[in-house]
Amino acid sequence: MIERLGKYTLKLNERPSIIAGAGVVGKTEGDGPLKEEFDRIFEDDTLGEESFEKAESSLQREAVLQAMIKSGKPIEDVEYIFAGDLLNQCTASTFSLRELGIPLIGLFGACSTMALSLGIASVFVNCEAARLAVAATSSHFCSAERQFRLPLEYGGQRTPTAQRTVTGAGASVVAKHIANKPCVEAVTFGKIVDLGIKDSTNMGAAMAPAATMTISDFFSDTGMKPDDLDMIVTGDLGYVGSELLLELLKKDYSLDISAQYNDCGMMIYYREEQDVHAGGSGCGCGGSVLNTYFMNRLESGELSKILFVATGALMSPTSSLQGESIPSIAHAVLLSKPDNK
Amino acid sequence: MIERLGKYTLKLNERPSIIAGAGVVGKTEGDGPLKEEFDRIFEDDTLGEESFEKAESSLQREAVLQAMIKSGKPIEDVEYIFAGDLLNQCTASTFSLRELGIPLIGLFGACSTMALSLGIASVFVNCEAARLAVAATSSHFCSAERQFRLPLEYGGQRTPTAQRTVTGAGASVVAKHIANKPCVEAVTFGKIVDLGIKDSTNMGAAMAPAATMTISDFFSDTGMKPDDLDMIVTGDLGYVGSELLLELLKKDYSLDISAQYNDCGMMIYYREEQDVHAGGSGCGCGGSVLNTYFMNRLESGELSKILFVATGALMSPTSSLQGESIPSIAHAVLLSKPDNK
């Protein structure tokens, strides 16, 4: 049964389990502080493919296949894949999943996709529309740079507020509740928030207000307090967006989450040594970190309850060139450690 | 309750109702055979906006607002909007829905979006994850031409197999079952099918195999026969794709649906007079025709049961330039007349 809490939150009473998660990344991410966590690190960011877009497809397929291997289930048993990415027409997902022969629910949430896909997959499993579902997403530094910013060959200088798109992919396998795996307790799907930021090299500032809205909705819907959670982790606000989030939550909603807070975009790189400016971004940032670092710690019981909030900037290069601001969205998923931990 | 029929079909036992549908279109569509059906026809395809992309956003917002007015429900009561479109990063949907303050589940299914969004909205309502949801999509001839093909100013000749992207949008309002409105009985989410077609001016040929697969899955899952339905209608296969669909279903699955079959892309224009080559295409084609012509005839009881199958070509200009073929997908929704008709 699904219960609506407050105006925006779905309580998943069947508590679907994430029976496996996998995260795979490129070389730069593999040189970062989370290198021991990832399921696979590709030393060559092309993955042997002839274009960066094809490399991203391979990356996402690899995350799905690794997650399936860890789940111990045959891939033919998967009833739906919920997936999306940042490339025009979500081709990283569609080409990656083309040969699998599994129904695809294509999603678009920009960098919020991991929470969106995991949230919808969990709703489907909770209400028995699926017994086994996969949620997946990816991003690639090189395919994102040339699509959203400048050709890599141009060698443009990046601004201090700019984030580095993570070359990475994540996948979660969701199934009926079992005692020894982390589970999904609730989902808060977000509304679009747009405070008028137009600087596409400062995504953190554009997305922070959306995360603020979804996090405050989650707390007011559930009646929980930040202290009830071990961690509140955003997908890719980076250093600039994270600071703004903490400030906005305190100022506008009297919520202080600084004791519980972290951000996958701040966790994935060494800030100074790797020269990543404002941190990591991209669907694959939250996707790869959630499905490795956080899933491992939930599974072991080191973390009991976390809120994963992935944020997406819903602009396109065309909308920016036409002078539009950057509408953003954040979706949140409440995850718990296994019953037996 | 949701019941899984066969391998791919979900039977929605609560039979969520489509309490209102709306379709709005541009001038060319308003000059076609369905002109009396649409809720609004815009004589000026720019809708007074300064770009075609912004015009498409306005078109989708208009469809949502028209559907809400017809539903008699205040828009604040809508719990989720399920929407997507063809523009890069789905900006027609995100900018169109930005001001509404309603949680957005962003979808990407290319031209299959109307069936995808209606299918997921119906699953959510069926399992009480939502009491009131909107499914929406749009496309615009001018924004699609310049994004996928050539700048309009170029005046390029179109091939005989090319379809015309419909300037149009559709929206359905889905709620708990009521006796006097059409309802959704089942959904079949499709798998990606790719038979190697690379000609992006022949989308019908690329998408027909996906429709073939989903329609045959639907019949084998449900045990129904084409005669059990009044209509089987595809979203935008056009003249070329429709012919191939009938041929493939007969040859590969011994299914003859020619007595029940029609296609929104063949219905929306006068083929010869309007010089539309292989017919209409785009998310807004199936979206606007389903929510007007078909919803009106279901509501009156003139049609009892129809299968709406929307097909999407999941390529991007980048994937085509990189020599890739066109993966396609089709999602199907089984719709019934009101109980009291």
Side-chain angles (χ1 to χ4, degrees):
Chain A
M1 217 194 76
I2 289 182
E3 205 177 316
R4 289 193 64 91
L5 295 182
K7 203 159 174 207
Y8 300 110
T9 301
L10 296 177
K11 181 156 177 261
L12 306 184
N13 285 326
E14 311 309 326
R15 304 163 70 226
S17 291
I18 301 175
I19 63 167
V24 303
V25 295
K27 181 166 170 31
T28 312
E29 294 71 22
D31 288 340
L34 304 182
K35 57 171 150 297
E36 302 300 334
E37 305 285 339
F38 299 119
D39 293 286
R40 193 161 171 194
I41 296 166
F42 289 92
E43 288 297 313
D44 172 4
D45 278 2
T46 72
L47 281 78
E49 299 285 354
E50 55 193 7
S51 76
F52 296 128
E53 290 74 18
K54 292 184 186 191
E56 187 180 335
S57 284
S58 291
L59 204 61
Q60 188 175 143
R61 187 165 45 240
E62 185 64 23
V64 171
L65 297 179
Q66 291 278 349
M68 288 313 300
I69 291 168
K70 289 167 84 175
S71 78
K73 305 272 184 192
I75 197 151
E76 310 82 67
D77 287 3
V78 176
E79 287 163 332
Y80 299 109
I81 296 192
F82 299 82
D85 60 87
L86 285 170
L87 294 187
N88 296 343
Q89 289 72 54
C90 295
T91 49
S93 303
T94 51
F95 284 90
S96 122
L97 308 170
R98 176 167 57 170
E99 275 85 28
L100 300 182
I102 298 165
L104 170 70
I105 314 276
L107 298 172
F108 180 75
C111 305
S112 75
T113 306
M114 194 65 234
L116 179 63
S117 61
L118 182 55
I120 309 247
S122 302
V123 167
F124 266 60
V125 170
N126 190 89
C127 68
E128 297 180 29
R131 289 157 299 194
L132 192 66
V134 168
T137 194
S138 63
S139 55
H140 194 298
F141 173 70
C142 304
S143 63
E145 280 298 306
R146 72 174 174 186
Q147 181 180 281
F148 287 107
R149 294 171 197 102
L150 295 163
L152 287 178
E153 296 81 352
Y154 186 79
Q157 287 290 311
R158 303 169 66 235
T159 66
T161 56
Q163 292 171 251
R164 182 186 166 94
T165 304
V166 163
T167 299
S172 314
V173 185
V174 186
K176 209 174 143 83
H177 186 80
I178 49 173
N180 63 340
K181 291 290 173 184
C183 64
V184 182
E185 303 229 345
V187 186
T188 308
F189 293 111
K191 310 181 282 286
I192 297 176
V193 180
D194 186 340
L195 297 194
I197 301 282
K198 293 190 174 188
D199 179 358
S200 68
T201 64
N202 190 356
M203 291 297 189
M207 300 190 299
T212 305
M213 177 76 88
T214 300
I215 291 172
S216 79
D217 284 344
F218 170 83
F219 283 119
S220 78
D221 286 347
T222 58
M224 292 176 84
K225 289 179 191 59
D227 284 346
D228 298 330
L229 300 170
D230 292 331
M231 290 280 292
I232 298 167
V233 60
T234 45
D236 66 338
L237 289 182
Y239 292 94
V240 175
S242 292
E243 206 182 312
L244 287 170
L245 169 69
L246 295 178
E247 195 180 320
L248 286 169
L249 276 172
K250 212 178 277 180
K251 200 169 67 82
D252 294 350
Y253 299 95
S254 306
L255 273 170
D256 183 356
I257 64 163
S258 51
Q260 293 79 26
Y261 181 70
N262 211 339
D263 175 72
C264 301
M266 300 195 298
M267 296 168 67
I268 198 165
Y269 299 120
Y270 293 111
R271 185 176 189 180
E272 300 301 331
E273 299 88 312
Q274 292 192 292
D275 190 27
V276 292
H277 299 66
S281 70
C283 312
C285 181
S288 63
V289 178
L290 174 72
N291 283 293
T292 57
Y293 181 93
F294 286 104
M295 224 51 95
N296 295 342
R297 279 157 188 75
L298 282 167
E299 197 157 337
S300 70
E302 185 184 331
L303 293 172
S304 287
K305 223 176 248 297
I306 71 167
L307 186 69
F308 173 68
V309 188
T311 53
L314 304 174
M315 34 63 75
S316 75
T318 305
S319 68
S320 290
L321 285 169
Q322 291 180 3
E324 269 293 2
S325 54
I326 303 173
S328 295
I329 200 162
H331 303 294
V333 185
L334 176 66
L335 302 167
S336 279
K337 68 176 182 182
D339 300 345
N340 65 2
K341 282 287 152 66
Chain B
M1 217 193 76
I2 288 182
E3 205 176 317
R4 289 193 65 91
L5 295 182
K7 203 158 175 208
Y8 300 110
T9 300
L10 296 176
K11 182 158 176 259
L12 306 184
N13 285 327
E14 312 308 326
R15 304 164 70 227
S17 291
I18 302 175
I19 62 168
V24 302
V25 295
K27 180 168 170 32
T28 312
E29 295 71 23
D31 288 340
L34 304 183
K35 58 171 150 292
E36 303 300 333
E37 304 285 340
F38 299 118
D39 293 285
R40 193 159 170 193
I41 296 165
F42 290 91
E43 288 298 313
D44 172 4
D45 278 2
T46 72
L47 281 80
E49 299 285 354
E50 56 193 5
S51 77
F52 296 129
E53 291 74 18
K54 292 184 186 191
E56 187 180 335
S57 283
S58 290
L59 205 60
Q60 188 175 141
R61 187 166 44 239
E62 184 64 22
V64 171
L65 296 179
Q66 291 279 348
M68 288 313 300
I69 291 168
K70 288 166 85 175
S71 77
K73 304 271 184 191
I75 196 150
E76 310 84 66
D77 286 3
V78 175
E79 287 162 333
Y80 298 109
I81 297 192
F82 299 83
D85 59 88
L86 286 169
L87 293 188
N88 295 343
Q89 289 73 53
C90 295
T91 49
S93 302
T94 52
F95 283 90
S96 120
L97 307 170
R98 176 166 57 169
E99 275 85 28
L100 299 183
I102 298 165
L104 169 70
I105 314 276
L107 298 171
F108 181 75
C111 306
S112 73
T113 305
M114 194 66 234
L116 179 62
S117 61
L118 183 56
I120 310 248
S122 302
V123 168
F124 266 61
V125 170
N126 191 90
C127 69
E128 298 182 28
R131 289 158 297 194
L132 192 66
V134 168
T137 194
S138 62
S139 56
H140 193 298
F141 173 70
C142 305
S143 62
E145 280 298 305
R146 72 174 174 184
Q147 181 180 281
F148 288 107
R149 295 172 197 101
L150 295 164
L152 285 179
E153 296 81 351
Y154 186 80
Q157 286 290 310
R158 303 169 67 236
T159 66
T161 56
Q163 293 171 251
R164 182 187 167 94
T165 304
V166 163
T167 299
S172 313
V173 185
V174 186
K176 209 174 143 83
H177 186 80
I178 49 172
N180 63 340
K181 291 290 173 184
C183 64
V184 182
E185 303 230 343
V187 185
T188 308
F189 293 111
K191 309 181 283 286
I192 297 177
V193 179
D194 186 340
L195 296 193
I197 302 282
K198 293 190 175 190
D199 180 358
S200 68
T201 63
N202 191 355
M203 292 295 189
M207 300 191 298
T212 305
M213 177 76 87
T214 299
I215 291 171
S216 79
D217 284 343
F218 171 83
F219 282 119
S220 79
D221 286 346
T222 58
M224 292 176 84
K225 288 179 191 59
D227 284 345
D228 298 329
L229 299 170
D230 292 332
M231 289 281 291
I232 298 167
V233 60
T234 45
D236 65 338
L237 288 181
Y239 292 95
V240 176
S242 292
E243 205 181 312
L244 287 168
L245 169 70
L246 295 179
E247 196 180 318
L248 286 168
L249 276 172
K250 213 179 276 181
K251 200 167 69 80
D252 294 350
Y253 299 94
S254 307
L255 273 170
D256 183 355
I257 64 163
S258 51
Q260 291 80 25
Y261 182 70
N262 210 340
D263 175 72
C264 301
M266 301 195 297
M267 296 168 68
I268 198 166
Y269 300 119
Y270 293 111
R271 184 177 190 178
E272 300 301 331
E273 299 89 310
Q274 292 191 291
D275 189 26
V276 291
H277 299 68
S281 70
C283 311
C285 180
S288 63
V289 177
L290 173 72
N291 283 293
T292 56
Y293 180 93
F294 286 105
M295 223 52 92
N296 295 342
R297 278 157 188 75
L298 282 167
E299 197 159 338
S300 70
E302 186 184 330
L303 293 172
S304 287
K305 223 176 247 296
I306 71 167
L307 186 70
F308 173 67
V309 188
T311 53
L314 304 173
M315 34 64 74
S316 75
T318 306
S319 69
S320 291
L321 286 169
Q322 291 181 2
E324 269 293 1
S325 53
I326 303 173
S328 294
I329 200 161
H331 303 294
V333 184
L334 177 65
L335 303 166
S336 279
K337 67 175 184 183
D339 300 345
N340 65 1
K341 282 288 151 66

